[in-house]
């Protein structure tokens, strides 16, 4: 009987201690720089994206708008996150996606180590994702990882497009 009482008391004590640790950690984390969205890595200053939006919509006509441009830090330097609004829900071809990435690479006024792309089409119900994954898998020697619903993150642009240079 005393063993059962100790077990229940021990569990209660453990639950109280765990709750205290979690609450203390949560309160401390509120002021911690890493608790900001994107792990505290988002750029706070005004970022120059150059003519990326206009250049992409001109280079790939099915992209009707470029939105959600955002720069953040990652293990490769800077990551550029880009939202593409398209005119149809059909997946991108490798040529279309290649043109988008190369246009960003040549137009952006700073060198991105990673480019994260997501695409969607506006529908009556909101927005549906457009798949970029199959097209990206054909773009050797780019390194590709999946990002979001049908989106991709790519690295290795130097290997495919040459050394980055500032646009003129």
């Amino acid at each position: 009987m005393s063993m059962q009482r100790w077990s229940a008391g021990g569990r209660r004590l453990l639950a109280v201690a765990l709750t205290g640790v979690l609450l203390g950690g949560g309160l401390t984390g509120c002021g911690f720089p890493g608790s900001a969205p994107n792990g505290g890595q988002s750029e706070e200053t005004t970022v120059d994206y150059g003519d990326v939006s206009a250049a992409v919509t001109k280079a790939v006509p099915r992209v009707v708008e470029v939105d959600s441009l955002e720069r953040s830090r990652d293990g490769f330097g800077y990551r550029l996150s880009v939202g593409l609004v398209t005119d149809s829900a059909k997946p991108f071809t490798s040529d279309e996606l290649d043109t988008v990435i190369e246009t960003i690479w040549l137009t952006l006024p700073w060198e991105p180590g990673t480019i994260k792309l997501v695409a969607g089409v506006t529908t009556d119900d909101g927005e549906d994702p457009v798949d970029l994954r199959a097209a990206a898998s054909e773009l050797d020697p780019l390194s590709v990882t999946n990002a979001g619903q049908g989106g991709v993150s790519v690295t290795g642009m130097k290997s495919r497009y040459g050394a980055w240079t500032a646009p003129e």
Side-chain angles (χ1 to χ4, degrees), residues 82 84 97 100-101 104 115-119 132 147 150-154:
V82 181
L84 305 172
L97 186 59
V100 167
I101 297 168
I104 292 169
I115 299 174
K116 176 184 171 188
L117 299 160
V118 294
L132 305 175
V152 294
S153 286
V154 295

Side-chain angles (χ1 to χ4, degrees), residues 24-36:
L27 292 174
T28 303
C30 288
F32 185 72
S35 65

Side-chain angles (χ1 to χ4, degrees), residues 55-66:
V56 168
T57 55
K58 182 178 179 183
V60 182
R62 73 173 287 196
V63 176
V64 295
E65 182 183 355
V66 174

Side-chain angles (χ1 to χ4, degrees), residues 59-60 62-63 90-101 135:
V60 182
R62 73 173 287 196
V63 176
K90 73 178 186 175
F92 270 55
T93 66
S94 59
D95 288 340
E96 289 171 329
L97 186 59
D98 190 36
T99 301
V100 167
I101 297 168

Side-chain angles (χ1 to χ4, degrees), residues 77-89:
Y78 287 110
R79 172 182 50 225
L80 174 67
S81 298
V82 181
L84 305 172
V85 180
T86 66
D87 62 359
S88 76

Side-chain angles (χ1 to χ4, degrees), residues 16-151:
V16 168
L18 184 58
T19 302
V21 168
L22 290 173
L23 284 175
L27 292 174
T28 303
C30 288
F32 185 72
S35 65
N38 280 340
Q41 301 298 312
S42 181
E43 293 287 310
E44 295 291 327
T45 59
T46 302
V47 178
D48 180 13
Y49 298 104
D51 295 326
V52 167
S53 295
V56 168
T57 55
K58 182 178 179 183
V60 182
R62 73 173 287 196
V63 176
V64 295
E65 182 183 355
V66 174
D67 68 359
S68 307
L69 291 171
E70 183 180 317
R71 180 172 84 169
S72 58
R73 299 281 295 165
D74 69 3
F76 299 101
Y78 287 110
R79 172 182 50 225
L80 174 67
S81 298
V82 181
L84 305 172
V85 180
T86 66
D87 62 359
S88 76
K90 73 178 186 175
F92 270 55
T93 66
S94 59
D95 288 340
E96 289 171 329
L97 186 59
D98 190 36
T99 301
V100 167
I101 297 168
E102 184 176 22
T103 300
I104 292 169
W105 182 252
L106 296 174
T107 309
L108 199 62
W110 44 269
E111 182 178 359
T114 304
I115 299 174
K116 176 184 171 188
L117 299 160
V118 294
V121 61
T122 304
T123 65
D124 293 336
D125 299 330
E127 190 172 278
D128 288 336
V130 175
D131 198 350
L132 305 175
R133 298 170 296 183
S137 70
E138 298 177 22
L139 299 179
D140 290 328
L142 293 179
S143 296
V144 178
T145 55
N146 294 341
Q149 284 189 309

